[in-house]
Amino acid sequence: MIQFKGLVKKFGDRIVLKGLNLSVQKGEILFILGTSGTGKSVLLKNLMGLMKPDAGQIWIEGEEVSSFSEEQYLPIRRKCGLVFQQPALFDSLTVFENIAFGIRRHTKDSEQEIQKKVTKALGLVHLKNIENKFPSQLSYGMQKRVSLARTIALEPKVLLFDEPTTGLDPVTTSAINQLILELSRNLKTTSIVVSHDMRCALDIADRIIVMDQGSIIEIGTPEELKKSQVSLVKDFLSEVLEKEARQ
Amino acid sequence: MMGVISDAGKVVIFFFRILGVWKRKSISSQLMFEQIWKVTMQSALTTGMAGFFVGAIMTIQFTMQMKDFGALGYLGGLATSTTIREVGPLLIAFMLAGKVGAFTSAELGTMRVTEQIDAIRCLGADPIQELVLPRFIAIVISSFFLLGLGLLLSIFGGILLGEVFSGVSFEEYLRHIPTIVSLPSILTGLFKCFIFAVVLAVICTYRGYTTTGGAKGVGLAVVKTAVGTMVTIVIADWVTSLLADITLRAVLGT
Amino acid sequence: MFEHFVSFTEMTTHAIFSAFRPPVRIKESFQQLYFVANQSLIIIVFCVCFAAMVTILESSFHMRLVVQNDSMVPGFAAMLILRELGAVVTALLLTSRVGAGIAAEVGLMQTTEQIDALKMLGIDPVQYLVLPRLFACIFGGMILTIVADLVCIYSAMLVSDMYLGFSPAMFISGMRRFVHFKDLIFSVIKGASFGVVIPLVSCHFGFRCKSGAEGVGLATTNSVVTSSIVIIIIDFVLSYLFTHF
């Protein structure tokens, strides 16, 4: 469904992605793990066309998109929804207008249909009766959920999460992770989650990728990963396994 | 030095990008009027105050000069003319650079670093069309109004100080204004206001739109906006004065 | 508004009193002076140069209108430059270059809890941060004003030589009829007073900075606006006072 071929991205002299190859299957939940600054978020932003790769190809459903113009990218962005690391809600708009923003621009729906879609999207993230509030009146966890609702309101086929749980408390973290699993299964989307959270990756991922220094160092199902001999993967795992052992 | 030139080039490219979007796409007039209202209301008080004091200062300075000549009668005309043609647009534009320019670049910069601008792109809208263009047009229009307001208040400040400080009654102050403040002067002033407004609008939206690096980046963007607009405004001031002078000489044939 | 005024006064008095208490951060003060004066020098020289050229062109325009000849232009322009332009344009540029920078820097320290960390270490943040900047801006303001005045007069002289047909000798003799040494002193006093305003206002907004990118942006904007307005008002008051001498 999605394929990266030899993707290279540089910032000045710093090479963030070193010829990355990866293909994502339809309907799977793929976790991308790695230490900070290894180009995980950059990968998602390249996929969404927010950044252009310096070399390599990106294929989405049989189309090579890396050279697309902003206009050509519109249908791709309809297909793929990105949930940002920060809530990135528009401060000046209400929750309703925030969620309706994308619908208004991508479709010609009537107000009633938009109303319905917004309520449905909010329902999917277990929120209601906050349509007329402004983002600043909500807690950070709620803002994250609204941001999620804004993305799924467009009914994307691919959901991309950029560190969805960074900076959240454990309770909200597990709630958000639960949501990711729920949404991916209920809406039958393909999901790519960029994260540091090995625990949650082991719980809900179909496949896990571990990245370091701009390339992939390990790839496999949670079960396969637990047997991995790569030292960084072991480090990531040992913490989780220790915690489990203590419990 | 190369940095300055490349920055200037990027600003020009950004300007044409805005114009391109303006030509191709529609803007919601509601969004634009909201922005105009917001910008004007936010800055009316500051600009008005600045204008008032600039007028007052010019009157004080001209009184000192005119007294020696016994030509106090010309005070009103001279102070007003200088304020309208030169000092007023410059100082009031400096004030706007601080108020409107810094505010806009901080606002857009915040939206950039909190990924709101990327979010707009992901939701299928063009941030230049949705965010930059309404602000750009609003700043040009309302800066024009605000500069006009500042100039009016500077005349008022001049009249008040003329009465209190120089002992020139306001009838006398006003009587000499038409003899010295000619149509070309007013046109020069207005033309300057327009150029300054465009310069201000394009630099602050560019700086805000291209902010990187979190809260620190926003602070830096504001500093760069304030410095950049002031420097460019001073240069634009010189160029327009020179152009106006040349045109005037050509038209009057002197 | 009122609350701002109270906390600003509080900080200012605190800063003044702590100036007479050790430790005096001489090295830091001179580093700040280097930053204020050296880093803004080129921009200021560049800008006042253009401003002076415009002033002299405009003066000549007006003189021809009013008295039909422009023989007084050098004197008038030099007077306007020394009394107003040099100090005010310098101060407004310093506001944006240095003032906004200070507000962003202190604001960032506030939001990243560095100010609290200073307090934990038993260091008085006002004394530590405000005083060196105050020193630097006062002296920097004075020095830069003198430089700006000189550059202004030179560039005005140049333009009047090339464009208006006054030789430098005519310019200087015209200037001496109107301008006295006290005008330069007044100009420097203005520069110093503006130099007091900029760091105090910027630090004030920096200390009150709210967290996040939005907070830093707001603190920086507010400091630029407030300093500019206060500078224009102080300029008015000083110009008024100086007419009595």
Side-chain angles (χ1 to χ4, degrees):
Chain A
M1 167 136 199
I2 297 171
Q3 256 189 315
F4 300 97
K5 286 183 185 166
L7 203 67
V8 176
K9 178 74 192 173
K10 295 177 210 160
F11 291 118
D13 295 334
R14 208 162 61 90
I15 303 173
V16 182
L17 295 175
K18 294 176 185 160
L20 184 116
N21 291 304
L22 172 65
S23 63
V24 184
Q25 312 302 324
K26 201 174 166 82
E28 72 173 337
I29 301 181
L30 177 74
F31 263 68
I32 303 177
L33 300 178
T35 44
S36 308
T38 45
K40 295 171 298 180
S41 305
V42 175
L43 188 69
L44 293 189
K45 290 195 171 166
N46 273 303
L47 181 61
M48 289 299 282
L50 297 173
M51 291 174 184
K52 294 279 176 214
D54 292 308
Q57 296 176 327
I58 304 170
W59 292 81
I60 301 177
E61 291 196 320
E63 277 180 301
E64 207 285 297
V65 297
S66 64
S67 57
F68 272 21
S69 71
E70 196 82 351
E71 305 277 318
Q72 286 171 304
Y73 241 108
L74 279 182
I76 308 290
R77 288 183 183 151
R78 175 86 204 271
K79 239 180 263 174
C80 310
L82 171 60
V83 182
F84 288 90
Q85 188 171 352
Q86 297 160 336
L89 296 173
F90 308 127
D91 314 310
S92 55
L93 302 178
T94 60
V95 168
F96 179 84
E97 284 301 325
N98 260 293
I99 299 174
F101 190 93
I103 307 176
R104 285 193 212 285
R105 273 151 191 87
H106 275 299
T107 65
K108 293 197 165 53
D109 288 353
S110 69
E111 275 307 304
Q112 273 171 335
E113 283 170 76
I114 293 176
Q115 181 82 48
K116 234 188 265 169
K117 279 188 178 173
V118 171
T119 319
K120 186 180 157 213
L122 278 175
L124 283 171
V125 295
H126 310 302
L127 288 173
K128 56 184 170 191
N129 300 331
I130 55 159
E131 282 92 336
N132 294 321
K133 289 199 168 147
F134 283 95
S136 55
Q137 295 168 296
L138 303 176
S139 71
Y140 192 73
M142 275 165 105
Q143 289 182 22
K144 288 279 284 204
R145 286 172 185 225
V146 173
S147 165
L148 195 56
R150 183 174 68 181
T151 310
I152 57 175
L154 282 167
E155 294 160 358
K157 291 183 190 162
V158 183
L159 269 175
L160 310 169
F161 297 89
D162 188 0
E163 312 210 353
T165 54
T166 304
L168 291 177
D169 59 275
V171 178
T172 324
T173 301
S174 67
I176 295 276
N177 284 332
Q178 200 53 44
L179 264 179
I180 294 174
L181 184 65
E182 240 177 77
L183 291 172
S184 307
R185 297 292 180 243
N186 292 348
L187 305 173
K188 298 193 172 53
T189 57
T190 311
S191 301
I192 304 177
V193 186
V194 160
S195 171
H196 313 285
D197 190 350
M198 179 59 99
R199 171 71 269 152
C200 136
L202 291 175
D203 282 349
I204 65 177
D206 294 323
R207 272 201 307 161
I208 301 174
I209 282 171
V210 182
M211 274 175 73
D212 189 38
Q213 316 268 335
S215 20
I216 296 175
I217 54 168
E218 184 65 287
I219 184 163
T221 62
E223 288 313 312
E224 286 166 6
L225 218 71
K226 280 182 186 166
K227 299 184 196 105
S228 167
Q229 292 305 311
V230 182
S231 65
L232 185 75
V233 182
K234 278 191 188 159
D235 289 346
F236 258 97
L237 275 167
S238 63
E239 203 188 335
V240 178
L241 297 177
E242 264 170 38
K243 233 183 229 169
E244 261 167 22
R246 255 181 271 141
Q247 284 160 0
Chain B
M1 196 62 208
M2 283 318 286
V4 176
I5 294 170
S6 108
D7 268 356
K10 282 179 193 153
V11 170
V12 173
I13 292 170
F14 189 70
F15 179 57
F16 282 109
R17 206 169 138 200
I18 296 176
L19 290 187
V21 172
W22 193 3
K23 227 167 72 182
R24 275 185 291 118
K25 294 181 179 160
S26 63
I27 37 165
S28 104
S29 52
Q30 193 209 344
L31 207 64
M32 210 178 68
F33 281 114
E34 257 171 37
Q35 283 294 330
I36 294 179
W37 178 251
K38 213 173 100 189
V39 173
T40 316
M41 282 300 117
Q42 259 170 6
S43 323
L45 185 69
T46 334
T47 335
M49 261 167 80
F52 178 85
F53 282 105
V54 169
I57 293 167
M58 292 317 288
T59 303
I60 292 182
Q61 294 302 352
F62 273 102
T63 307
M64 300 297 289
Q65 301 186 354
M66 290 290 125
K67 250 189 195 155
D68 299 343
F69 282 88
L72 263 184
Y74 283 112
L75 177 69
L78 266 185
T80 313
S81 180
T82 317
T83 316
I84 287 188
R85 284 178 57 97
E86 154 60 12
V87 185
L90 188 67
L91 288 187
I92 298 167
F94 270 25
M95 208 50 93
L96 277 178
K99 181 83 195 171
V100 180
F103 180 81
T104 309
S105 72
E107 194 189 15
L108 285 177
T110 306
M111 296 183 89
R112 165 65 83 188
V113 300
T114 56
E115 297 181 313
Q116 290 182 48
I117 289 186
D118 280 343
I120 289 184
R121 288 171 69 189
C122 283
L123 295 171
D126 180 357
I128 302 256
Q129 181 192 5
E130 299 275 339
L131 294 176
V132 176
L133 190 56
R135 279 176 180 71
F136 177 82
I137 299 175
I139 290 172
V140 172
I141 293 176
S142 44
S143 299
F144 198 65
F145 284 141
L146 287 166
L147 283 164
L149 174 81
L151 290 183
L152 271 182
L153 273 164
S154 75
I155 297 176
F156 179 69
I159 293 175
L160 199 73
L161 260 284
E163 183 105 13
V164 175
F165 176 74
S166 346
V168 176
S169 71
F170 76 95
E171 292 102 339
E172 177 140 357
Y173 192 96
L174 286 177
R175 196 170 63 229
H176 280 279
I177 291 183
T179 57
I180 295 184
V181 182
S182 53
L183 189 65
S185 287
I186 296 176
L187 288 182
T188 314
L190 290 182
F191 182 61
K192 274 190 180 174
C193 288
F194 178 71
I195 296 289
F196 293 172
V198 173
V199 164
L200 175 66
V202 67
I203 293 184
C204 72
T205 47
Y206 169 75
R207 283 292 178 204
Y209 190 73
T210 55
T211 303
T212 49
K216 195 174 180 179
V218 175
L220 204 65
V222 175
V223 177
K224 280 184 175 167
T225 308
V227 177
T229 36
M230 284 185 182
V231 174
T232 324
I233 281 170
V234 173
I235 300 172
D237 187 34
W238 178 70
V239 174
T240 43
S241 266
L242 199 67
L243 282 182
D245 199 54
I246 291 169
T247 338
L248 216 63
R249 278 169 192 235
V251 171
L252 297 178
T254 47
Chain C
M1 187 79 188
F2 180 68
E3 187 216 353
H4 270 282
F5 186 73
V6 170
S7 72
F8 178 76
T9 323
E10 216 172 337
M11 190 195 80
T12 311
T13 34
H14 189 140
I16 294 168
F17 280 115
S18 60
F20 302 103
R21 260 203 333 257
V24 185
R25 302 182 68 216
I26 293 178
K27 196 176 156 219
E28 167 83 5
S29 301
F30 277 95
Q31 266 169 5
Q32 286 292 332
L33 181 60
Y34 174 80
F35 171 72
V36 169
N38 195 38
Q39 310 244 329
S40 331
L41 187 65
I42 294 176
I43 292 176
I44 287 175
V45 164
F46 185 76
C47 283
V48 292
C49 188
F50 276 100
M53 291 198 255
V54 181
T55 309
I56 195 137
L57 286 179
E58 292 292 332
S59 296
S60 123
F61 172 85
H62 284 116
M63 283 297 132
R64 282 205 300 273
L65 263 181
V66 181
V67 274
Q68 312 305 333
N69 75 55
D70 52 3
S71 59
M72 300 296 171
V73 167
F76 274 17
M79 194 160 152
L80 203 59
I81 285 169
L82 274 183
R83 292 231 169 129
E84 291 301 333
L85 216 61
V88 176
V89 173
T90 306
L92 289 178
L93 285 167
L94 272 185
T95 305
S96 64
R97 182 81 177 77
V98 176
I102 293 177
E105 189 190 355
V106 176
L108 209 63
M109 291 182 80
Q110 175 73 48
T111 58
T112 53
E113 297 176 321
Q114 291 180 52
I115 306 248
D116 291 336
L118 282 179
K119 283 184 195 157
M120 294 297 294
L121 295 170
I123 295 168
D124 176 4
V126 173
Q127 188 180 20
Y128 185 83
L129 293 171
V130 180
L131 275 185
R133 286 167 179 77
L134 190 60
F135 164 85
C137 283
I138 293 176
F139 282 94
M142 287 160 77
I143 298 166
L144 286 171
T145 305
I146 296 177
V147 174
D149 285 339
L150 281 179
V151 171
C152 265
I153 288 184
Y154 270 119
S155 55
M157 203 191 290
L158 200 71
V159 170
S160 54
D161 187 26
M162 282 166 21
Y163 198 72
L164 302 172
F166 294 104
S167 70
M170 280 159 82
F171 188 94
I172 288 175
S173 69
M175 202 175 99
R176 292 184 76 163
R177 278 182 58 196
F178 288 92
V179 178
H180 309 283
F181 185 66
K182 66 175 188 194
D183 288 321
L184 184 67
I185 301 291
F186 289 157
S187 183
V188 173
I189 294 176
K190 275 188 179 176
S193 330
F194 300 152
V196 175
V197 172
I198 295 167
L200 287 179
V201 171
S202 307
C203 286
H204 167 74
F205 283 107
F207 280 134
R208 294 170 60 100
C209 180
K210 294 202 178 66
S211 67
E214 202 178 356
V216 176
L218 210 62
T220 326
T221 311
N222 280 339
S223 83
V224 175
V225 175
T226 315
S227 318
S228 315
I229 280 285
V230 173
I231 283 172
I232 293 216
I233 294 177
I234 288 187
D235 183 47
F236 167 72
V237 174
L238 288 181
S239 291
Y240 196 94
L241 284 180
F242 291 159
T243 55
H244 296 295
F245 294 100

